Amino acid sequence: MKPWWLLILFSPAVFAELPQPLPAFLDQHCVDCHDADMKKGGLDLGALPFDLANADAFQNWQKIFERVRDGEMPPKKKPQPAKADAEKFLASLKPALLKADAEDIAANGRTRSRRLTRTEYENTMHDLLGIDMPLKVLLPEDRASYGFETVAAGQQLSQHLLARYLDVADLALTDAFQRALKGDETFKEHYTPEMLTKNRGGNYRGPDLRDSRSITWPMTLQFFGRTPTFVPESGWYRITLHDVQAINPGSDGAVWGTLRSGECESNAPMLYMIGLVEATSTPRNMVFEGWIQEKHRLELKPNDATYKHPQSGAKGGNVSFVGRDLAKEGFAGIAHTGIDIERIYPNADRAALRKNLFGEADVQTADAATVDKLVTRFARRAFRRPVTEELAVAYRDIARKALADGDPPAEALRSAYRAILCSPRFLTFIEARGTLDDHAIASRLSYALWVSMPDYKLIQLANDKQLHDPQVLAQQVDRMLAHPKSKRFVTSFTDQWLKLKEIDFTTPDSRQFPTFDSVVQESMLQETRTYFAEMIKQDLSITNLVESDFAFLNGRLARHYRTEAAVKTGEGMQKVALTDKDIRGGLVTQGAILKVTADGTSTSPVVRGVFINERILGNHIPPPPPGIPAIEPDIRGATSIRDQLDKHRNNESCASCHQTIDPPGFALENYDPVGVWRTGYGKNNRGAKVDPTGVTPEGQTFTDIHSWQHIYTQHADQLARGFATHFLTYSTGAPLRFSNEDAREKVISATAQNGYGMRSLVRAAVLSEIFLSK
């Protein structure tokens, strides 16, 4: 070990500037592994300046502080510092870190300039104009940073992207003005079973006509179940299936299928989910709403991989039912007596859309003064705050020039609106450094809980400068979470926080997992989103993330999970009670979570362990050191993943992280890549036995998922801290900083008395200084 005086001579720029007792502590416990020779983890203390105004240097000193504080450094195999010495080290370093971080936030703000994500943009355009056409698919995908698309650090605003925004704004305004000026397109058709079974040429893959009913069967032929229900224009449609009834229902009393739309031709194979069909023995009407593209049609069929599949009955891609009675042969089917398709406008009818664009004015006869007022009104709504006269004049001049050139008032308005929709004041969040003003609070709150612009109520409160009142702000949080628009938050937040948007990234091997299908996958998404919404609505304890006495299931998902929970037929996704023997309590055991943390053929305790640590437990896991090979599970199941990991963990540079990563991954190893319980690896559990035992980083042993869950229900504050961190990162557009930790702890302590309720945590986070400042 190098003597301290030698270190000063060796690197005076670092050690001579360090406050006491940092030099002695680093010399005794850190330098042996982190000098110019060893440089473990890429850290050379001899070359690390104590210049906390330097972002890279600050991050390294923050990591040093956190590793010592959390007991991760020095490694367990090395001599450990006395508790008093470690506390003195931390007490000496913390004030300097706090001061430097607070000064940087005061000068630059914690949240850098950020723009609307493409989802936020789409919702805002829908609410601002009253249109309903999909827009985000026309924009480049957002890149996530710190797990969220809303974080400014991962966003770009290039010339190419601005051009795309301009194109999309043109499409949106065209749709809005056409509806406002010419009226809504209408379409309403009723299709009888006889109409649905007519073949317009080519291979027949339509339903079976029997006893004046249309019946589809679980045939594997591509696009079987397609119908001649072509829609004339892209739009939202309400689809009513009349007298839907199950033929030969399964053990859960239903026949499960999918209603999808598409061209249903081999040159355009993409199909778009509209909804799940749960046909029961009792006939009933089923109503769906979905966006259908121009000249696309409906495809309806049983889509349960567990059903027997009948042969097509004909050659060359055709289907024939002549001389066949598939019902008597025992095949499952979905029957109905007809389909209604009607064009709808779910966001706003024509009157509401006209009001969004023109207020109460008659746009056909509007004079220049009226056009001026409408432009200013639209700018206030689009910019989500009052506009100055100087700013309004710039957009009014665009409209006035158009009027002078002979354009009608509607076209003049459209020109001005187009410019407004391409302004940074619309596309980005306007937030000054320091405490947010009321309009910035209104926008931040609305985009957090509604993923869109503030409504009239929020804007009025902002105008009256009432949103700094904690009581008023808390009331708005409760109001907004109770509003139907909060479904957008549930979807957007879970898509990013829990990576649900990645559920399609892998396709499970049908030979290994023959019972997995699109109905199961869609049910898994519904399960997790409904569960999270229930935690918010009922203000349930944060411990429900890891363990609960209830679950949300439908009949198909219950059968996939092989659970004995009592699920009622025909009621779709429903809340069911669990017993102590059930293995489905908590969010962490849900199929969507288990699927997005697997690769379609195998599972890895490392992948699942990192996910649970970072997304649920709130532990940051650094990337692996350079040159460390990934662990490739044995897909045959002959070798236990634990055996491979044991060799990996023997590497000293891996061991410290894996003692945190691996335990939750081991606890979840009884769940295969599609969320089904298993006791062994490989097909039919015939490979190496699953070993779900382990030891938590705190030294507590667990024998299975139940005991692991029980341990972490005792760590509610840790779970609350992790959730609050994610929500604040998502809602403010920036990760929490070192100097935010005390404010975050106030959020946690404010919810302790009611068991760290999820709704309470969201409310406390919104009331925090972190949320209310840039």
Side-chain angles (χ1 to χ4, degrees), residues 125-171:
M125 293 289 275
H126 286 177
D127 293 344
L128 178 65
L129 300 176
I131 61 172
D132 48 44
M133 64 186 301
L135 298 175
K136 69 180 183 180
V137 295
L138 305 175
L139 295 168
E141 287 192 16
D142 293 302
R143 183 165 62 91
S145 179
Y146 297 91
F148 295 100
E149 297 169 355
T150 55
V151 172
Q155 294 183 338
Q156 296 179 337
L157 194 58
S158 64
Q159 185 175 354
H160 168 72
L161 186 57
L162 285 173
R164 296 299 303 137
Y165 276 124
L166 188 61
D167 292 341
V168 173
D170 281 334
L171 288 172

Side-chain angles (χ1 to χ4, degrees), residues 544-547 585-590 593-594 612 616 668 671 705 708-709:
N544 284 277
L545 293 181
V546 295
E547 188 174 36
L587 184 144
V588 298
T589 64
Q590 293 174 8
I593 306 301
L594 298 166
I612 298 300
I616 306 299
L668 291 171
Y671 300 96
I705 183 62
W708 181 89
Q709 289 172 315

Side-chain angles (χ1 to χ4, degrees), residues 384-386 437-443 454-468 472 476:
R384 308 174 290 273
R385 60 174 56 244
D437 64 39
D438 284 75
H439 289 94
I441 293 173
S443 284
D455 65 352
Y456 177 79
K457 177 68 174 177
L458 268 182
I459 291 296
Q460 284 300 107
L461 290 172
N463 290 341
D464 296 338
K465 300 187 184 304
Q466 294 189 48
L467 289 180
H468 278 93
V472 171
Q476 290 308 300

